[in-house]
Amino acid sequence: QVQLVESGGGSVQSGGSLRLSCAASGYTYSNHWKAWFRQAPGKEREGVAAIHNDGNTTYGDSVKGRFTISQDNVKNTLSLQMNNLKPEDTAMYYCAVQTMRISPTVQALSVMRYNYWGQGTQVTVSS
């Protein structure tokens, strides 16, 4: 049973920082991506950052230079360091993992690549 448990969300003022964590368990597929997505009310789920098991990373344009994704393959955890937060970063943040073979044509920041999702953690940034 795959489980993803996020933590670290909260409220912060514009310009502040937060670190999200995701503890993953229950799968052994090694050639895979893990990612953070976010969804604000009334908007589609948006890919924020993704990291492959080999360390390759990719970021959404709106967070480049501000967010950093990282992983600990021993502890099977995924993290997202978010700096210089802006009110438009306010959303529910979800971690996601790919545990099955997916066509390489599916982008790393596409929801179509991921088959397991966490419950989400809320991030609120005030101006």
Side-chain angles (χ1 to χ4, degrees), residues 1 38 48-49 54 62-63 111:
Q1 181 79 6
R38 67 187 181 188
V48 174
D54 65 8
S62 62
V63 306
V111 296

Side-chain angles (χ1 to χ4, degrees), residues 19-25 27 32 34 36 51-53 55 69-80:
R19 185 176 181 88
L20 305 183
S21 295
C22 176
S25 63
Y27 69 95
H32 66 285
K34 298 187 283 288
W36 289 96
I51 186 166
H52 193 270
N53 206 51
I69 190 171
S70 61
Q71 63 187 348
D72 183 327
N73 287 336
V74 174
K75 296 180 179 179
N76 221 7
T77 58
L78 180 69
S79 298
L80 184 69

Side-chain angles (χ1 to χ4, degrees), residues 4 9 11 30-31 41 48 54 73 119-120:
L4 302 174
S11 296
S30 61
N31 184 26
V48 174
D54 65 8
N73 287 336
Q119 294 295 312

